[in-house]
Amino acid sequence: MATRYSIASGVVITALALTLIALLVPVDKFGGRASAAVAAPAAGDDDGLGTVSTAYGPLTAADRDFVRKVRLAGLWELPAGRQAQQRGTRPAIRTAGDHLVDGHTELDRQVIQVGQALGIDLPNQPSAQQQDWLGQMNRAKGDEYERLFTQLLRRAHGKVFGLLAGIRAQTRNSMVRALATSANATVLDHITVLEDTGLVDFDGLSDNVPPTK
């Protein structure tokens, strides 16, 4: 009788141990992911994490890529807007700069909040290409500067506009959806004020021109 009791107890203990291991493994893997995600992958890359369950709904690789792109946009468009506020000779250029600064300041606040809530690693500096665009504007002067500013920013916003529509329509994550809604309104506003300058070369927005996003 004692032997049967010992065997039964051993089975119960083994089952409990296996259950505990099963519960701990996902936690350990999640912790490994968090510690490994120090450097943000380049925009457009699949980070390899697949679809992750969150309190706000499934979070896909496309969702994370979108959130990182919103952050990257602010990292170069905010300084571009501040520069336009200071260097613009046309009132419309200074107005566009005001809208860029206001819009991306708010979007940046939101995207940092979303990144923290969803555990998404975010970039902290513009990409090499974005830094090149800022460098081009730094070197340009007078009318050349204002036309370059308008064209670069208008093309950038036009490219991201299509991405926004896709994410807004397909994401099942409520935080990503809310960010896409805010970003959509901001991008449309920026497109409008940039076009109001009268300096947009619409032929130059063709896909044959190297993308700015």
Side-chain angles (χ1 to χ4, degrees):
M1 191 72 177
T3 302
R4 289 181 181 176
Y5 179 79
S6 299
I7 293 172
S9 298
V11 170
V12 171
I13 292 171
T14 301
L16 289 173
L18 291 173
T19 300
L20 181 60
I21 290 171
L23 289 171
L24 288 176
V25 167
V27 173
D28 180 63
K29 284 184 177 179
F30 181 81
R33 283 178 179 176
S35 61
V38 175
D45 286 355
D46 185 339
D47 56 17
L49 298 181
T51 299
V52 178
S53 296
T54 77
Y56 306 94
L59 184 71
T60 66
D63 291 333
R64 290 188 295 273
D65 181 54
F66 163 70
V67 173
R68 292 182 182 115
K69 282 181 176 175
V70 173
R71 172 65 170 166
L72 276 171
L75 289 174
W76 84 277
E77 291 174 19
L78 259 173
R82 294 191 186 105
Q83 188 181 75
Q85 288 175 322
Q86 298 169 2
R87 296 183 58 190
T89 59
R90 293 174 172 87
I93 293 293
R94 294 194 297 272
T95 296
D98 291 341
H99 281 243
L100 284 170
V101 170
D102 291 345
H104 283 291
T105 296
E106 176 57 21
L107 270 185
D108 205 48
R109 182 193 66 77
Q110 291 182 39
V111 78
I112 290 173
Q113 189 177 56
V114 170
Q116 291 173 344
L118 298 179
I120 302 173
D121 48 298
L122 299 176
N124 291 313
Q125 62 180 11
S127 68
Q129 190 176 44
Q130 290 169 335
Q131 292 178 43
D132 179 64
W133 300 328
L134 288 170
Q136 291 180 44
M137 288 189 286
N138 286 336
R139 294 187 294 272
K141 297 179 180 179
D143 186 68
E144 178 193 3
Y145 161 73
E146 295 190 338
R147 292 182 182 279
L148 182 62
F149 161 82
T150 302
Q151 195 69 9
L152 283 174
L153 272 297
R154 171 57 181 82
R155 180 167 174 79
H157 284 81
K159 284 294 180 182
V160 80
F161 206 45
L163 170 66
L164 282 168
I167 291 294
R168 179 63 182 80
Q170 296 176 18
T171 186
R172 292 181 290 159
N173 188 283
S174 61
M175 289 202 80
V176 173
R177 188 180 305 116
L179 179 64
T181 299
S182 295
N184 186 71
T186 300
V187 168
L188 183 56
D189 172 69
H190 292 175
I191 285 176
T192 301
V193 294
L194 288 163
E195 291 175 351
D196 285 346
T197 64
L199 299 179
V200 175
D201 174 11
F202 287 93
D203 290 336
L205 301 178
S206 165
D207 285 341
N208 293 325
V209 179
T212 59
K213 277 286 185 185

